[in-house]
Amino acid sequence: MTLSSHSKLPLWMAIILTLVMVVVVRELAVVICSWAGIEKAANIVGLVAMFLILMTWRLIRGLPHWLTQASNTLLVDSGFAFLPVSAGAGILLFELGDELWGVMITMIISTLIPLWGLGILANRWLNSSDTLDTSSKSTERQE
């Protein structure tokens, strides 16, 4: 079975493949960071490695539909995983006293600016890929 960018995989298999990919990259990062003596950096090394792998894959072959579909499903459904952590952090925030507003403003600014920037980049990226898709389809129709 080949996994081209147009292959139709069932959602459950796409989710399993996506999770296996994430676990393998993260565990390889743990092994590499253990060998390098920087065990605490394993998560960020895995994150950067996964980013580089996906960017390279996207630029060379294009991301497959099954990966996009599984990632979207996992991101939407995994929001509930952070709910207990958020509730605990919210409770602890109110124990800060006078420092509450400074911490809240810092959290809001440090969240909104990266999200704003990511939104702009995603919009440009999606619009440029739509333009490329449209121009390639119109070129194919003319031939």
Side-chain angles (χ1 to χ4, degrees):
M1 168 175 56
T2 60
L3 297 176
S4 70
S5 61
H6 300 293
S7 67
K8 301 282 184 185
L9 284 177
L11 181 60
W12 64 270
M13 186 179 287
I15 289 173
I16 290 173
L17 285 173
T18 303
L19 291 173
V20 166
M21 226 171 46
V22 169
V23 169
V24 166
V25 170
R26 194 237 176 227
E27 292 304 316
L28 283 173
V30 168
V31 169
I32 290 169
C33 287
S34 294
W35 285 342
I38 50 172
E39 294 86 9
K40 293 185 180 192
N43 287 333
I44 193 70
V45 168
L47 178 73
V48 171
M50 181 62 90
F51 175 74
L52 293 174
I53 290 167
L54 290 175
M55 286 298 296
T56 305
W57 191 356
R58 181 185 188 278
L59 293 173
I60 292 175
R61 298 199 55 192
L63 291 176
H65 178 70
W66 61 266
L67 181 61
T68 306
Q69 182 183 16
S71 298
N72 289 341
T73 302
L74 287 170
L75 284 173
V76 168
D77 293 340
S78 68
F80 292 112
F82 297 103
L83 192 58
V85 173
S86 299
I91 291 169
L92 290 175
L93 277 176
F94 289 107
E95 295 181 13
L96 289 174
D98 294 339
E99 297 175 358
L100 173 67
W101 293 112
V103 171
M104 291 297 286
I105 290 171
T106 303
M107 286 174 40
I108 290 170
I109 290 172
S110 65
T111 303
L112 290 180
I113 291 174
L115 283 176
W116 174 71
L118 183 63
I120 290 173
L121 289 174
N123 188 20
R124 286 184 185 168
W125 193 1
L126 290 173
N127 285 336
S128 69
S129 67
D130 286 345
T131 305
L132 292 175
D133 290 343
T134 305
S135 65
S136 66
K137 287 179 185 175
S138 63
T139 307
E140 289 172 3
R141 288 182 193 150
Q142 291 173 357
E143 294 172 358

